[in-house]
Amino acid sequence: QEQWLERAVTLDPAFGLAWAKLAWVRAFLVFSGAKQAEARLAGAQDAIDRAGRLIPDAPELFLSRGYVHYFARRDYPRAEQDFQRAAEVAPHLPAPRYALALLHRRQGRWMEAWQTLRAVERMDPGDPEYAEELYHLALSGRRYDDAERALRRAEALGRKVWGGPGLLDVLRSGALDRPVSLRAATPSSLRELELMTGETVEGAARGYPLFEACALAAKGDWPAARELAQSIAEQQRGFVT
């Protein structure tokens, strides 16, 4: 997506929405630990500055600038200001409120995140991403009935959800001692189930370390979860200024 947006602004340097989206994409790549993170951070800032000159009052500008703060700089107060501004300018759009829900979840403001995500899903019930996020948020709060309902909505909309019913079943039961729906699970999801249950799961393979740290935390092995999370932080140190 980055290369297509770069192509778009090359063809039309006055394409403000493309500059805003390019800033968002570059910021996310910094957040996800992509290569050349420092250059992408600088590129994200340049792109959002250009967008600011071209579309200074557009909700897309505030939303993308918020994501630059959120993803690339971990500046959550400034991200919240921009997300809130986008929501005020465009009250009919779900995207700014979705961004606020993600931010609140990251800050540990669980009930605010839950309420905002529910409102976002009501605004656009046809988007499976919102149902999937509700599923993960409900799992985090051990609201398993809510998680199951959200999972069913996401799957009915064609979404293949990470972990799916297998993860929900394991968390409910606390073990792999009864049949669970694991056929659609990815090898990395199976690895996370191994970490949570302490049992061997056929087909498991190492995946995203942050998810593995979350799996260890879900199991209650906080020292191991903290150690893995700290190792991730050390690997990422220096990517963000």
Side-chain angles (χ1 to χ4, degrees):
Q1 193 175 16
E2 183 183 25
Q3 63 181 359
W4 291 112
L5 289 166
E6 289 173 343
R7 178 65 173 161
V9 297
T10 298
L11 292 171
D12 183 3
F15 193 173
L17 292 178
W19 280 113
K21 187 65 174 181
L22 180 58
W24 179 344
V25 169
R26 286 173 171 169
F28 179 75
L29 290 171
V30 172
F31 175 80
S32 61
K35 295 180 180 179
Q36 300 178 329
E38 292 184 5
R40 282 198 166 98
L41 175 58
Q45 188 61 54
D46 176 67
I48 204 64
D49 289 344
R50 290 173 184 267
R53 292 192 289 271
L54 293 165
I55 50 170
D57 300 315
E60 293 85 357
L61 169 70
F62 302 124
L63 183 62
S64 290
R65 191 169 65 193
Y67 274 119
V68 171
H69 293 313
Y70 176 80
F71 284 134
R73 300 192 182 280
R74 275 66 162 186
D75 188 339
Y76 300 140
R78 294 183 68 183
E80 184 166 17
Q81 289 176 4
D82 275 319
F83 292 154
Q84 189 63 51
R85 179 62 175 149
E88 292 169 357
V89 172
H92 60 291
L93 293 179
R97 287 165 178 76
Y98 179 56
L100 282 167
L102 297 180
L103 175 64
H104 293 159
R105 182 184 63 182
R106 183 161 291 273
Q107 293 177 311
R109 295 156 64 180
W110 300 104
M111 289 309 301
E112 289 178 77
W114 177 259
Q115 293 164 2
T116 304
L117 268 176
R118 289 291 302 275
V120 167
E121 191 184 36
R122 287 193 294 271
M123 293 176 74
D124 187 2
D127 192 326
E129 183 173 353
Y130 303 146
E132 181 180 7
E133 288 298 335
L134 277 167
Y135 163 72
H136 291 306
L137 186 59
L139 278 185
S140 300
R142 301 182 182 182
R143 300 173 64 154
Y144 299 131
D145 290 342
D146 287 327
E148 184 173 7
R149 287 190 286 268
L151 176 63
R152 288 176 177 173
R153 292 196 300 274
E155 291 183 332
L157 292 168
R159 192 77 162 191
K160 184 179 179 180
V161 177
W162 168 79
L167 177 59
L168 175 59
D169 200 16
V170 167
L171 290 176
R172 267 179 167 160
S173 65
L176 287 170
D177 58 358
R178 59 193 179 94
V180 291
S181 303
L182 297 177
R183 286 176 294 179
T186 63
S188 59
S189 296
L190 296 175
R191 170 60 180 161
E192 288 141 23
L193 294 178
E194 280 191 330
L195 292 172
M196 281 188 282
T197 63
E199 301 179 32
T200 300
V201 180
E202 184 178 355
R206 291 300 302 272
Y208 190 36
L210 182 57
F211 287 168
E212 294 188 4
C214 292
L216 290 166
K219 179 186 177 183
D221 191 348
W222 291 102
R226 186 176 296 108
E227 181 179 357
L228 182 53
Q230 288 174 342
S231 71
I232 298 168
E234 288 298 325
Q235 292 171 14
Q236 300 251 342
R237 193 178 301 280
F239 283 170
V240 181
T241 56

